């Protein structure tokens, strides 16, 4: 697939920083498009606004309107106007004035009491004090306060009627009629997405129930949508914060087939999103959103087809409406340098909390990528160890080899005769390697495998694997050599396990 170049200046209807980032990250940010109305799978009606400007066209799941909501969000999860909603009065400014007035009266009363020698007893209650207001940063099950619990109870009271009207009660495999942690977590997602407005949350919830029922979303995970939609996505493992990982690659897509049928494209992205969301535990205190990785290697820089724009617009609409609060972190890898610099320039206008949701890495930034994803969860094509048919599970060792130096790593120790499976690779560029078995009794080491002289292992070769049968106790070790470079380090991976 391809990318459209940025205009000379980001102006016009997409001129604001938030609007630019919203359009730039269209694959993952489902901010409702201005003037676009949903038809069937979310296609804009004739005359509606579609994606324009510096769009990075991709098939990635759009799962949260982050940039569009950034001006209303404050650091720490607050909202504009203090980020608080007064439950009793239902207003923001009014509650602030009431609290300020109550504080002023209390200070004046205490001062008068001190002057006349009648100080109030310690812990005395003040009839004018207001209960704590609801805060969106506490609207999570493991952080819930009294005010947020009241909102959740008010929302839950309307759930039976909404489920009855929609003819369904299941979202992401969770029956919201069954009170418990899982259903409460789902309801709180809709409550946060509606800025703690109970009526807005129940309307959105009912709309999502109808959508899933009418479109048969629960059956999409098993649907056969065509070969041109296969092989681009991986749902496996978790990131460093425990989020399920969804990886999408766009370089090998046939644009005409993938984007030509807008409805089929949205179904395809829904299928991948449903597979990813199914990995969430919906347990108190556990990860509630996803880590999405978008690989742009091999993606042309230009595209102007109306089909691609329409497909992304429809996908964004659907994800924005029906997958609230599922976006945790988005990582762009092999990202074009021109777009990376443009994104970084505009991202300074976004709140820090929003900026942290987006990470942009180049072709040789595997070390940075591994800070967020374990190498075992990164596909072979991105410099990791995840591959189809891999015989070894578990963790692997990451070794950074300095210029003109050698690093050794132990893959597996054995107490006696045993079979050992091994895997190794260089993540970027090249490095030489030698795999040896070192006997525990001090005998001569045995070379198991090695790169050829003057022909180091290339990153493009991916994972090199094999099996060794040890005849006695000892350790299988790998030595990586970076002997052809004077300035650059090389990152290598290796692991072993008993067969």
């Amino acid at each position: 697939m391809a990318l459209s170049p940025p205009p000379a200046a980001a102006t016009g209807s997409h001129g604001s920083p938030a609007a630019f980032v919203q359009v730039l990250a269209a694959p993952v940010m489902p901010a409702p498009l201005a003037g676009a109305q949903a038809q069937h799978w979310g296609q804009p009606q004739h005359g509606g606004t579609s994606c324009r400007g510096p769009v990075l066209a991709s098939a990635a799941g759009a799962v949260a309107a982050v940039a569009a909501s950034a001006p209303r969000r404050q650091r720490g999860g607050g909202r504009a106007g203090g980020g608080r909603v007064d439950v009793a009065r239902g207003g923001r400014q009014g509650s602030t004035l009431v609290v300020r007035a109550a504080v002023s009266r209390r200070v004046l009363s205490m001062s008068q009491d001190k002057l006349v020698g009648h100080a109030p007893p310690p812990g005395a209650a003040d009839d004018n004090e207001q209960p704590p207001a609801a805060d969106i940063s506490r609207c999570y099950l493991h952080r819930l306060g009294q005010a947020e619990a009241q909102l959740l109870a008010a929302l839950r009271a309307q759930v039976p009627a909404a489920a009855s009207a929609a003819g369904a009660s299941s979202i992401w495999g969770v029956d919201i009629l069954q009170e418990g942690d899982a259903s409460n977590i789902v309801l709180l997602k809709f409550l946060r997405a509606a800025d703690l407005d109970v009526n807005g949350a129940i309307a959105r919830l009912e709309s999502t129930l109808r959508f899933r029922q009418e479109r048969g979303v629960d059956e999409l995970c098993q649907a056969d949508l065509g070969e041109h939609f296969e092989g681009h996505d991986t749902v496996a493992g978790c990131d460093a914060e425990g989020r399920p990982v969804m990886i999408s690659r766009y370089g090998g897509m046939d644009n005409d087939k993938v984007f030509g049928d807008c409805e089929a494209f949205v179904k395809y992205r829904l299928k991948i999103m449903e597979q990813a969301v199914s990995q969430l535990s919906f347990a108190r205190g556990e990860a509630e959103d996803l880590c999405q990785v978008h690989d742009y290697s091999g993606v042309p820089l230009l595209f102007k087809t109306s089909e691609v724009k329409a497909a992304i617009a429809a996908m964004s609409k659907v994800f924005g409406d029906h997958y609230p609060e599922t976006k945790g972190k988005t990582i762009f890898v092999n990202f074009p340098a021109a777009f990376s610099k443009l994104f970084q320039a505009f991202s300074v206008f976004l709140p820090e909390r929003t900026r942290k949701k987006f990470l942009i890495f180049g072709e040789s930034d595997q070390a940075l990528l591994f800070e967020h994803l374990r190498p075992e969860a990164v596909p072979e094509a991105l410099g990791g160890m995840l591959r189809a048919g891999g015989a070894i599970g578990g963790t692997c060792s990451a070794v950074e080899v300095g210029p003109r130096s050698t690093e050794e790593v132990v893959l597996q120790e054995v107490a006696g005769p045993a079979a050992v499976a091994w895997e190794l690779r260089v993540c970027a560029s090249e490095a030489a390697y030698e795999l040896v078995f070192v006997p525990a009794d001090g005998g001569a080491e045995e070379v198991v495998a090695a790169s050829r002289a003057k022909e180091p292992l290339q990153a493009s070769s991916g994972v090199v694997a094999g099996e060794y049968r040890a005849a006695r106790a000892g350790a299988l070790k790998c030595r990586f050599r970076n002997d052809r470079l004077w300035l650059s380090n090389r990152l290598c991976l290796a692991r072993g396990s008993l067969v």
Side-chain angles (χ1 to χ4, degrees):
M1 80 169 271
L3 311 175
S4 67
T11 58
S13 61
H14 296 286
S16 70
F20 168 78
V21 177
Q22 173 184 336
V23 175
L24 180 63
V28 290
M29 298 169 59
L33 302 175
Q37 302 295 326
Q39 278 189 340
H40 199 56
W41 286 94
Q43 295 172 270
Q45 292 180 346
H46 178 70
T49 303
S50 61
C51 291
R52 295 179 294 177
V55 182
L56 290 185
S58 72
V63 289
V66 178
S69 63
R72 297 183 289 112
R73 291 184 182 265
Q74 296 179 336
R75 295 182 182 180
R79 300 279 168 161
R84 302 166 70 86
V85 179
D86 189 277
V87 177
R89 297 179 178 269
R92 298 172 186 251
Q93 185 175 0
S95 64
T96 303
L97 294 176
V98 169
V99 172
R100 287 178 178 173
V103 172
S104 300
R105 287 195 296 270
R106 181 173 178 81
V107 171
L108 178 60
S109 175
M110 293 176 65
S111 300
Q112 291 173 341
D113 286 336
K114 288 182 179 180
L115 287 174
V116 299
H118 297 295
D126 189 336
D127 293 338
N128 292 320
E129 288 185 350
Q130 300 295 315
D135 191 313
I136 200 166
S137 67
R138 295 196 304 268
C139 203
Y140 294 83
L141 196 59
H142 61 292
R143 302 178 188 169
L144 217 58
Q146 181 179 357
E148 296 79 30
Q150 291 174 354
L151 291 176
L152 176 59
L155 177 59
R156 179 165 288 286
Q158 299 186 46
V159 168
S164 177
S169 63
S170 176
I171 297 179
W172 307 318
V174 176
D175 188 346
I176 58 174
L177 290 176
Q178 300 295 322
E179 187 167 357
D181 285 1
S183 61
N184 283 337
I185 288 172
V186 172
L187 295 183
L188 287 170
K189 284 181 178 290
F190 282 86
L191 191 58
R192 293 195 302 271
D195 288 339
L196 307 186
D197 177 9
V198 173
N199 291 333
I202 198 65
R204 188 168 180 172
L205 182 67
E206 181 179 331
S207 174
T208 295
L209 288 170
R210 288 183 184 275
F211 175 84
R212 298 181 67 86
Q213 175 74 2
E214 294 171 0
R215 305 299 194 274
V217 175
D218 288 336
E219 288 74 42
L220 276 179
C221 285
Q222 308 303 324
D224 183 4
L225 302 178
E227 292 184 359
H228 52 282
F229 290 125
E230 297 177 359
H232 308 299
D233 307 275
T234 302
V235 177
C238 296
D239 71 358
E241 288 80 33
R243 301 183 185 94
V245 177
M246 179 175 74
I247 301 174
S248 298
R249 305 186 65 212
Y250 308 122
M253 287 184 175
D254 185 325
N255 284 4
D256 293 337
K257 292 182 178 180
V258 171
F259 296 96
D261 185 335
C262 187
E263 181 167 332
F265 171 76
V266 174
K267 286 182 178 180
Y268 153 58
R269 293 316 302 171
L270 281 175
K271 177 179 179 177
I272 303 303
M273 178 61 74
E274 286 291 312
Q275 292 174 352
V277 174
S278 70
Q279 302 302 306
L280 293 171
S281 66
F282 293 101
R284 184 189 299 260
E286 297 296 322
E288 296 188 16
D289 44 33
L290 306 174
C291 175
Q292 300 176 66
V293 180
H294 305 290
D295 176 22
Y296 285 90
S297 58
V299 176
L301 292 178
L302 302 176
F303 93 92
K304 295 184 179 180
T305 65
S306 59
E307 290 81 5
V308 173
K309 295 179 181 179
I312 291 178
M315 174 193 68
S316 299
K317 173 67 175 172
V318 170
F319 284 165
D321 287 349
H322 305 300
Y323 289 82
E325 299 289 308
T326 51
K327 176 180 176 52
K329 181 187 297 180
T330 300
I331 302 175
F332 299 94
V333 297
N334 298 315
F335 204 63
F339 286 102
S340 176
K341 293 179 180 178
L342 198 59
F343 182 90
Q344 292 171 359
F346 277 87
S347 67
V348 299
F349 297 100
L350 296 175
E352 182 179 2
R353 180 174 179 271
T354 302
R355 289 199 305 270
K356 287 183 177 179
K357 290 179 177 285
F358 295 91
L359 300 169
I360 298 178
F361 299 143
E363 294 181 356
S364 301
D365 289 336
Q366 284 82 9
L368 295 174
L369 179 61
F370 294 158
E371 293 179 5
H372 303 273
L373 303 180
R374 287 290 308 171
E376 307 86 46
V378 177
E380 183 179 19
L382 298 184
M385 297 287 268
L386 182 64
R387 63 193 182 104
I392 302 179
T395 60
C396 63
S397 299
V399 183
E400 190 162 353
V401 188
R404 315 297 292 182
S405 63
T406 300
E407 295 290 340
E408 182 179 273
V409 58
V410 177
L411 304 190
Q412 182 68 48
E413 294 181 340
V414 296
V420 180
W422 55 270
E423 294 179 342
L424 58 88
R425 72 163 302 159
V426 57
C427 299
S429 189
E430 62 183 31
Y433 77 93
E434 184 180 52
L435 192 70
V436 298
F437 180 78
V438 181
D441 58 12
E445 65 182 33
E446 176 185 353
V447 176
V448 177
S451 55
R452 296 180 180 178
K454 298 183 180 182
E455 294 183 15
L457 178 64
Q458 302 293 319
S460 58
S461 300
V463 177
V464 177
E467 184 176 313
Y468 172 74
R469 293 189 174 275
R472 49 184 168 170
L476 185 65
K477 301 181 179 182
C478 183
R479 297 177 186 135
F480 290 104
R481 298 193 312 276
N482 181 11
D483 52 10
R484 300 182 66 177
L485 298 175
W486 290 93
L487 300 175
S488 301
N489 294 349
R490 286 292 172 256
L491 183 64
C492 304
L493 304 174
R495 62 179 170 181
S497 68
L498 296 175
V499 177

